[in-house]
Amino acid sequence: MDAQGRGRAEHIDPADQWVLNPNTGEYELRLSPSAPQSAVPGPRRAASRGRGVPQGRERREPRPSQGERSGAREPRDGRDSRDGRGGREGRGSREVPGPRRGRGAAPEPAPGRRGRRPVKKKPRAKKILLWTSGTLAFLLVAGAGAGYLYIEHLNDNISSSPDDGASTGGFRKDEAINILLIGTDKRTGAGNESYGDSGSPGHADTTILLHVSKDRSNATALSIPRDLIVDVPDCPTTQEDGSQKVIPGSQGVRFNTSLGQSGRTPSCTMRTVTELTGITPDNFMVADFNAVKTLTTAVDGVEVCLAKDINDEDSKLNLPAGTHKIEGEQALAFVRTRHSVGNGGDLSRINLQQQFLSALMRKLKSNDTLTDPAKMIKLAEAGTKALTVDSQLDSIGKLKDLGLELGKLNVKNLTFTTVPVVDNPAETVKATVVPHPTQAQEVFDAIANDVSFTAVKEKKAKEKAAVAARLKGTKADPSEVRVQVYNGGAPAGSAQETLQWLQNEEGVTKSENAGNADAALSKTTLEYAPDQADQARRLAAIMGLSGSAMKPGESVTNSQGLPTMTLTLGKDFKGAGVSLTAPSKAPDVEKSTADKVKCAS
């Protein structure tokens, strides 16, 4: 499988032949172009001493052409078309090559030929990376038999659950990604029954909505407290026999009851998140106690930090202050601890869990993990056995595609934050929380509009400036604004509602209801021709549209045959008179980034 097996490797390290193709994310075998071969090598011939080849070495003869096989004559000038040194007799007159030198010796240039430039040695670290990555790629991909069987083995490890129409249908490579990560407290697995409540169906004990930006430059991990009071909607759920059952919703209950209770599945937790945030997840992943233990063991532990000694009898965590590498049972105890940190509640435990996930993310992306084939295989085994995914992620191929998208992210631009909350005013003994009346919605809106919560390079500064410039300039009088209003995903009746509001309250009398658009849009848009820019700026100001909602293009004609703009109300439309300006800056909330260690106190 490498160049040395073909007799032409010389000083080439086999690892250097496995190259990562950035277009596919796969490792490919790339051979040196200095010694071309036919696509299908011919059979080896026995070495002949009479032809100037040293004993013990072989030289491949070219395959005969179709003409030679059929008895065709030699070229008229008697020259060998392969090397131009004369006919067949001439080949026997070549000089006998000297003895082969050891691998470490530099070859001497042949008489009359320029010597090769010395090959620059690759840094040792790079060679190790190429060698181990190439080895892993060979094991998983190149082996047509064993590799295929191993992939099938991993596919068999994967457990999946229907999304029951609660998702977007799966992530897309050219769009922002929203993955719902659910940690359940179900006590399945060896040794987990000792934690008590062994008969529990499991709750949504730890839930994180992971948003990855469209350009993959940043991500936000939003923790949803388990004791947050929410409305759980009705949940159509696929039963084990394939039938459908609608599980009735519940009003004003703890978020963690969105899973496990009354037969609710992860798809119900997805619907609850959508109800709470307005964001529909693309996919979900569910991890149980075993996932924490096996994943940390597969990567040889993760590093966490404590600002004080902790001895928690409930979680069984007993560690002194300082930095520790934890795995297995100790890692599970760390993420379950809450009575010994902060105020002893779930919000304090969330900070611990965010620190743990930051450490796990750093370890997964470190060379210590990526360059170790044994760890990568252990990780593949642990991950496929420990996680339950939705039906859109139920194969290694789909998980690999998602992994490649997530792998583009720099951990320093991964921000952890929590839904802003306040104590539940309906309780005298504070046990639950409710969303903060203003900050929670600001956080949800920022994520929905792909706003970064961390400082990233302004790659699109010029583009943003150009978009903002669309709002600057003269504005036409409302009576001069001519527009057709379409419903492109807003609630039924929105186009007529907006039309009446524009005409009766804003003075935009030259407006028409154009009915339903051809396709639904996630964002409300205003399309206009260049000579309608002043009208567009006036209507944008009235509607509260941002520059990104304004789409320069061509005008259309209205019912009187006059040029008009097109306003399409998208899914973000909240009612006539409600501003549609998307946030451009993340709200000021408590947060941390995955590249920094924050010691738990």
Side-chain angles (χ1 to χ4, degrees), residues 48-130:
S48 171
R49 297 187 186 183
R51 296 196 177 185
V53 181
Q55 185 175 4
R57 296 184 64 187
E58 297 176 353
R59 180 176 65 221
R60 297 187 182 186
E61 296 293 337
R63 281 188 154 189
S65 66
Q66 184 65 35
E68 289 173 332
R69 288 197 297 268
S70 61
R73 293 181 298 172
E74 295 285 330
R76 292 182 181 180
D77 58 3
R79 296 162 63 106
D80 188 320
S81 60
R82 181 181 61 160
D83 56 21
R85 295 190 183 185
R88 296 181 182 272
E89 295 82 355
R91 287 184 300 197
S93 63
R94 297 179 188 169
E95 292 184 11
V96 178
R100 187 173 185 176
R101 296 178 178 270
R103 284 187 78 167
E108 295 181 4
R113 299 177 67 183
R114 293 173 59 186
R116 292 183 181 178
R117 287 184 179 180
V119 178
K120 291 183 180 180
K121 291 187 176 181
K122 295 181 181 289
R124 178 174 176 79
K126 187 173 182 180
K127 282 192 174 186
I128 293 174
L129 176 62
L130 288 168

Side-chain angles (χ1 to χ4, degrees), residues 308-313 315 317 337-342 344 601:
K308 66 176 184 179
D309 298 346
I310 290 183
N311 186 0
D312 189 337
E313 294 182 358
S315 71
L317 181 67
T337 292
R338 62 187 177 99
H339 296 301
S340 300
V341 291
S601 59

Side-chain angles (χ1 to χ4, degrees), residues 292-305 319 322-328 330-332 334-335 352-366 368-369 375 379 597:
V292 176
K293 294 192 288 188
T294 57
L295 288 175
T296 52
T297 301
V299 297
D300 193 28
V302 298
E303 193 173 272
V304 296
C305 180
L319 286 175
T323 301
H324 305 275
K325 187 168 78 168
I326 59 174
E327 63 178 274
Q330 199 171 49
L332 178 59
F334 183 86
V335 298
L352 272 181
Q353 293 167 346
Q354 291 177 349
Q355 182 195 157
F356 169 80
L357 290 173
S358 296
L360 180 59
M361 178 70 76
R362 291 193 299 272
K363 193 62 178 284
L364 288 173
K365 290 181 72 70
S366 70
D368 182 46
T369 299
K375 283 184 182 178
L379 191 59
V597 177

Side-chain angles (χ1 to χ4, degrees), residues 1 60 63 78 85 123 138 151 156-157 191 224 253 299 336 400 456 473 492 515 528 538-539 545 555:
M1 291 300 295
R60 297 187 182 186
R63 281 188 154 189
R85 295 190 183 185
F138 172 77
I151 294 296
D156 290 340
N157 286 347
I224 302 175
V253 295
V299 297
R336 293 185 67 244
K400 180 207 71 172
V456 294
Y528 61 97
R538 173 59 66 188
L539 188 59
L545 294 174
S555 64

